[in-house]
Amino acid sequence: MELPESIRGFIAERISRYPNKKALLIPALMECQKLFGQVTPEAAQAVASELDLPFAEVQSVISFYTMLNRRPTGEFLIAMCGTWNCEHGGTAALIEHFTKKYGVEPGEVTKDGKFTLLRVECLADCHNAPSSQFYHRGEDFKAYWVNNLTVELFDQVLDEVAAGGPAALRERLVRIEDKANPPDDRRWIWLVTTNSQYPAWVEQAGGEYIVHDAYGRLGDLKQENPQLFAEIQAALKG
Amino acid sequence: MAKGNPILQNGVISEWITPVTTLNNELGIRSLADYKAKARYIPEGSPGGYRSAEKVYKDIDAETIIEQVKAAGIRGKGGAGFPAGLKWSFVPKNHPGPKYLAINADEGEPGTFKDRFILEDCPHRLIEGAMIACKAFGAHDAFCYIRGEFYDAIAILDRAVKEAYAAGILGDKPFGVDYPMHFTVHTGAGAYICGEETSMLSSIMGERGHPRMKPPFPAVEGLWRKPTIINNVETIATVPAVFDAGPDWFTRRGTEKSPGIKLVSVSGCVRNPGWWEVEYGVPISTIIDELAGGLKPGRKLKAVIPGGSSCPLLQPAFADTPFDYESVMKAGSMLGSAAMIVLDDTVDIVKVMHNFSHFYAHESCGKCTPCREGTRWMLMIHERILAGGGSPADLELLKDIVNGIEAKSFCPLGDAAAWPVKSAVNRYAEDYERYFKAAQAEIESTGNPLAEAG
């Protein structure tokens, strides 16, 4: 096969920064992974030709790096962290739920072709354990954090993503916790979402709760994700 | 995105903790416009991103840069704590060919999530630090090796680099000075070993991530056999503040041998896990109780891993140890990447060690025998113990395996795998013995099948 135009462009844009073409091997293979959800032997051959490398050398590199898949994956690849913080938070139950729900083992594609779950090592998201990333392959590749998971929430996300595609991977409210050692008299909380945790304080005005984020990022989110704010209002009222 | 620091808006909550420090001022500052308008190198400084780099490029020579960074006592923040200025001075002077800076953003150590925040929330600070570092030892190219899983961080830093090129900050004439400077974001593909410096170089050159023999050290022969300096993201991001606040600002903070500040990431059994920037020398218990919200009600501290999964476990008696390289070392562990994992009394140390052994067995690159075989054996023994097949002899066996890996592996991954297990079998033997007793009771209750057969 021919190497897709987007990957040729990716290589052409960067090649002047390196003394040889080989340096771009891993980034180029990662572009294949993003596009196809795997690195097929055909894609590996195309990368080898583009970078003037022996096919065997490219294959040896692919076999070393765990993010380069040599088997087909689903439309969404779920990287489920299983290192200690996440395991302690319940990764095993999440993986068990997935395998029961779809009748497939980690690494296999679900029958509808939507998901492949892989248990991976530390994703550097330990404060949001248990944590995972959803990768949606294709030209418009995107990675989404889906963390602070519970089995119920994971199940809900899987169903909504299967029905609604990548748009369903919006940031969701997981829980609201009172902050330990509040710095002053105001009501300090942790807003725990599927993407992060926000230290914030809450002000009540009329029937509405105004959430003041410690670094103002929720302000942007309010435009992008009004559902999240509806969830926060509902949770604070409840 | 990463969690912010609630104390930054609320003043001092402990005399030990710097209320507002260099990086916290830049939360969420991703665009060049914001970096110029809002970012401050230190809390009391005035806005103006890239002011330090401009000053350095226009007025300060290479030797003075290194002197200033040495004077500020900036130590490598990726794990080893090697002084940054000293490292830069190892690059051969008047070397004819190109030299490189390789920034290590392969943040893979379990428990560590501090570099991700710098990449995502203040990417321009990293670019600025790289420019200053490159000028210090005469490099014109910086490569930032980011682990493949950090798709967000890669996209954010890529965009920041493009902005910097468009503004003439990177490129052939930064700030109109004839010193070409290029910055390239390079992605990894999911290998912990590539956080080891020579493996990272192999990976940037398009090879399997195997470590290489030292010497020659990378400062002499690194990327493409040219002198290469490897620094952690946080180290590089700390540099610009030195040229705004002056070295004194750093030496006034922290301890004598570990001056300045450090990002710590706290995870595990605490109420509010997250990251904070603290002065070196803050007691470990202060970080746990005042920043991370303490343990859950009714729980007791069982162990602290001060610097990520590769550091030995510390018992509760050491909870008041000052958090600096020397004190943590004296207490019997390492500061490492300052990724504090807190374990309470509900945690089973055998299960923790099983998980860590799984991690290292998975991530061992396979180049040398002690690490490749030893990590797998540690995993299999822990699996057997958890499955009810352990016996007291396993403690000696684990010690023997640890002894076979430690200091005998090709690169530090072997040590990283061995040290936590070594500390667990020595300091938490009672957790293992509980399994051995249960296994013995199981045998006694079912009788001896051989005796019955006779």
Side-chain angles (χ1 to χ4, degrees), chain A residues 18 66 122 181 190 196 215, chain B residues 1-2 147 186 190 208 272 289:
Chain A
Y18 299 91
T66 46
C122 192
N181 310 328
W190 284 121
S196 185
Y215 49 94
Chain B
M1 301 305 105
R147 64 180 296 192
H186 194 102
R208 289 165 72 94
N272 306 137
D289 293 337

Side-chain angles (χ1 to χ4, degrees), chain B residues 374-385:
Chain B
T375 51
R376 286 193 63 76
W377 275 109
M378 288 200 300
L379 171 62
M380 287 192 282
I381 292 167
H382 280 98
E383 276 173 354
R384 178 161 53 71
I385 294 172

Side-chain angles (χ1 to χ4, degrees), chain B residues 237-311:
Chain B
T238 310
V239 168
V242 176
F243 296 90
D244 187 66
D248 294 355
W249 195 90
F250 288 86
T251 49
R252 280 202 306 272
R253 288 165 173 78
T255 66
E256 192 190 339
K257 287 189 174 163
S258 304
I261 47 187
K262 180 84 188 81
L263 276 171
V264 295
S265 34
V266 188
S267 61
C269 309
V270 290
R271 286 174 66 188
N272 306 137
W275 42 254
W276 292 270
E277 198 172 32
V278 300
E279 290 187 30
Y280 285 111
V282 180
I284 288 176
S285 54
T286 305
I287 296 174
I288 296 173
D289 293 337
E290 297 199 21
L291 295 178
L295 301 173
K296 294 196 175 101
R299 304 279 179 85
K300 274 195 269 185
L301 186 66
K302 182 164 187 174
V304 178
I305 309 177
S309 68
S310 53
C311 300

Side-chain angles (χ1 to χ4, degrees), chain B residues 243-435:
Chain B
F243 296 90
D244 187 66
D248 294 355
W249 195 90
F250 288 86
T251 49
R252 280 202 306 272
R253 288 165 173 78
T255 66
E256 192 190 339
K257 287 189 174 163
S258 304
I261 47 187
K262 180 84 188 81
L263 276 171
V264 295
S265 34
V266 188
S267 61
C269 309
V270 290
R271 286 174 66 188
N272 306 137
W275 42 254
W276 292 270
E277 198 172 32
V278 300
E279 290 187 30
Y280 285 111
V282 180
I284 288 176
S285 54
T286 305
I287 296 174
I288 296 173
D289 293 337
E290 297 199 21
L291 295 178
L295 301 173
K296 294 196 175 101
R299 304 279 179 85
K300 274 195 269 185
L301 186 66
K302 182 164 187 174
V304 178
I305 309 177
S309 68
S310 53
C311 300
L313 282 67
L314 282 184
Q315 291 139 304
F318 295 100
D320 290 328
T321 304
F323 200 60
D324 59 72
Y325 293 97
E326 290 72 25
S327 308
V328 176
M329 182 82 83
K330 207 172 145 202
S333 188
M334 291 181 309
L335 190 121
S337 56
M340 206 183 281
I341 306 175
V342 181
L343 310 177
D344 71 19
D345 54 356
T346 63
V347 172
D348 179 353
I349 298 294
V350 181
K351 285 188 178 157
V352 179
M353 289 305 124
H354 170 254
N355 189 280
F356 286 0
S357 299
H358 185 281
F359 177 83
Y360 290 107
H362 181 264
E363 299 296 348
S364 175
C365 79
K367 177 166 178 148
C368 73
T369 313
C371 174
R372 182 185 64 236
E373 301 300 324
T375 51
R376 286 193 63 76
W377 275 109
M378 288 200 300
L379 171 62
M380 287 192 282
I381 292 167
H382 280 98
E383 276 173 354
R384 178 161 53 71
I385 294 172
L386 287 177
S391 79
D394 285 333
L395 284 184
E396 291 309 311
L397 184 57
L398 280 170
K399 283 179 196 169
D400 190 42
I401 293 174
V402 162
N403 183 40
I405 303 175
E406 182 184 29
K408 297 175 184 71
S409 303
F410 190 86
C411 84
L413 193 145
D415 298 332
W419 285 335
V421 173
K422 183 182 180 181
S423 70
V425 295
N426 284 328
R427 297 172 191 173
Y428 293 90
E430 68 275 12
D431 281 51
Y432 284 90
E433 275 151 12
R434 205 170 303 132
Y435 281 92

Side-chain angles (χ1 to χ4, degrees), chain B residues 220-244:
Chain B
V220 181
E221 264 189 38
L223 282 174
W224 302 289
R225 309 197 67 178
K226 302 288 188 284
T228 303
I229 287 294
I230 300 151
N231 279 134
N232 178 260
V233 166
E234 190 189 343
T235 316
I236 293 292
T238 310
V239 168
V242 176
F243 296 90
D244 187 66

